[in-house]
């Protein structure tokens, strides 16, 4: 199971920052919220529901499809082909599944920009997860049922997502400049993962 944003490309691209700006604009434009309250509200929603999206669904009955389309309407031109990444993915045995809290359309666009779409067997997105984001347990249960296996490895840029994965006995890799004692391996980029670990 491989995360998408900030895992297969570096956060310096600014893509995730742009998504966050779109979410703020959505909350201001469609829910008439004052900008100064949005950051604290989003933090509360993430702690309470696991994501801003679920908080808005529960409290404002928003259309999640429209929200996801709006939030992920971003320029991906800062993402470039990465041959080292492509070669690393080619060497991985077994199924490679994108496990993302973004919609499938966004995942497809990112994978096409990186020219690695053909390296993946499937995409499990936030819509298939019934809009319940990692690190909630529910999407992990669904993805395990859909892709049964004796062995799972999860690669993600967020420690809390991997902590949940450990509860399901996944082998875990954190792709982040920050380190963690809660995972099996820490690297700063996907390309640094030793192939024998995968």
């Amino acid at each position: 199971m491989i995360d998408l944003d900030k895992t297969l490309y570096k956060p310096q691209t600014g893509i995730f920052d742009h998504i966050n700006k779109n979410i703020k604009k959505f909350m201001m434009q469609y829910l008439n919220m004052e900008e100064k309250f949005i950051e604290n509200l989003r933090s509360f929603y993430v702690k309470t529901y696991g994501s801003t999206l679920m908080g808005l669904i529960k409290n404002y009955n928003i259309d999640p499809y429209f929200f996801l389309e709006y939030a992920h309407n971003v320029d991906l031109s800062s993402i470039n082909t990465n041959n080292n990444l492509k070669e690393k993915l080619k060497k991985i045995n077994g199924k490679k599944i994108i496990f993302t809290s973004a919609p499938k359309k966004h995942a497809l666009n990112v994978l096409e920009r990186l020219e690695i779409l053909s390296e993946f067997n499937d995409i499990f997105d936030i819509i298939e997860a019934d809009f319940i984001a990692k690190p909630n347990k529910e999407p992990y249960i669904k993805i395990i049922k859909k892709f049964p296996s004796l062995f799972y490895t999860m690669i993600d840029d967020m420690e809390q997502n991997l902590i949940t994965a450990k509860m399901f006995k996944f082998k875990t890799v954190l792709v982040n400049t920050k380190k963690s004692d809660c995972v099996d391996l820490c690297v700063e980029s996907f390309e640094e993962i030793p192939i024998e670990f995968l």
Side-chain angles (χ1 to χ4, degrees), residues 159-160 162-163 166 172 179-186:
E159 181 188 51
Q160 60 265 42
L162 296 170
I163 289 171
K166 291 290 277 186
T172 53
K179 304 304 177 190
S180 169
D181 295 326
C182 301
V183 302
D184 297 308
L185 178 68
C186 297

Side-chain angles (χ1 to χ4, degrees), residues 4-5 16 19 23 53 64-74 76 98-111 123-129 131:
L4 182 77
D5 293 304
F16 211 71
I19 291 170
I23 292 171
L53 169 59
Y65 297 96
F66 177 69
F67 172 88
L68 289 168
E69 181 75 25
Y70 189 98
H72 293 87
N73 182 19
V74 294
L76 300 178
I98 290 290
F99 184 13
T100 179
S101 293
K104 188 173 184 177
K105 180 181 175 182
H106 173 73
L108 289 169
N109 289 339
V110 169
L111 296 175
I123 297 169
F124 186 89
D125 73 340
I126 190 69
I127 297 170
E128 193 165 0
F131 308 111

Side-chain angles (χ1 to χ4, degrees), residues 1-196:
M1 310 299 178
I2 302 173
D3 180 49
L4 182 77
D5 293 304
K6 298 190 295 179
T7 298
L8 290 175
Y9 64 84
K10 294 188 181 297
Q12 289 85 348
T13 58
I15 303 299
F16 211 71
D17 292 334
H18 195 165
I19 291 170
N20 277 322
K21 286 178 184 175
N22 283 352
I23 292 171
K24 184 186 286 186
K25 282 168 58 181
F26 177 93
M27 294 170 76
M28 291 169 65
Q29 183 175 346
Y30 293 99
L31 303 175
N32 296 314
M33 292 185 185
E34 291 188 50
E35 185 174 3
K36 62 184 177 182
F37 298 124
I38 289 175
E39 189 173 338
N40 285 339
L41 184 62
R42 289 190 65 192
S43 295
F44 172 74
Y45 282 165
V46 169
K47 286 178 184 176
T48 307
Y49 305 106
S51 69
T52 300
L53 169 59
M54 187 55 70
L56 294 177
I57 292 171
K58 295 281 189 183
N59 292 278
Y60 290 89
N61 196 30
I62 65 158
D63 178 347
Y65 297 96
F66 177 69
F67 172 88
L68 289 168
E69 181 75 25
Y70 189 98
H72 293 87
N73 182 19
V74 294
D75 179 5
L76 300 178
S77 61
S78 59
I79 297 178
N80 298 307
T81 305
N82 185 333
N83 289 324
N84 291 331
L85 172 63
K86 194 169 189 175
E87 289 306 308
K88 178 72 69 171
L89 288 165
K90 282 183 181 296
K91 293 176 182 175
I92 298 174
N93 293 319
K95 286 187 176 180
K96 289 168 286 210
I97 312 298
I98 290 290
F99 184 13
T100 179
S101 293
K104 188 173 184 177
K105 180 181 175 182
H106 173 73
L108 289 169
N109 289 339
V110 169
L111 296 175
E112 285 173 354
R113 284 290 306 178
L114 289 165
E115 294 185 13
I116 56 172
L117 178 58
S118 61
E119 299 304 321
F120 288 91
N121 300 92
D122 212 332
I123 297 169
F124 186 89
D125 73 340
I126 190 69
I127 297 170
E128 193 165 0
D130 297 322
F131 308 111
I132 302 172
K134 300 175 283 185
N136 287 295
K137 292 180 184 178
E138 289 88 344
Y140 295 78
I141 294 168
K142 285 198 76 172
I143 200 169
I144 288 168
K145 284 182 179 177
K146 184 173 182 181
F147 304 104
S149 176
L150 296 174
F151 179 82
Y152 297 94
T153 298
M154 183 163 170
I155 305 165
D156 203 293
D157 69 295
M158 297 182 71
E159 181 188 51
Q160 60 265 42
N161 295 344
L162 296 170
I163 289 171
T164 303
K166 291 290 277 186
M167 294 170 63
F168 291 95
K169 310 298 183 187
F170 284 24
K171 200 173 180 181
T172 53
V173 182
L174 179 66
V175 180
N176 202 309
T177 54
K178 296 177 183 176
K179 304 304 177 190
S180 169
D181 295 326
C182 301
V183 302
D184 297 308
L185 178 68
C186 297
V187 294
E188 292 190 9
S189 70
F190 191 98
E191 300 92 300
E192 292 176 28
I193 304 171
I195 194 63
E196 59 269 18

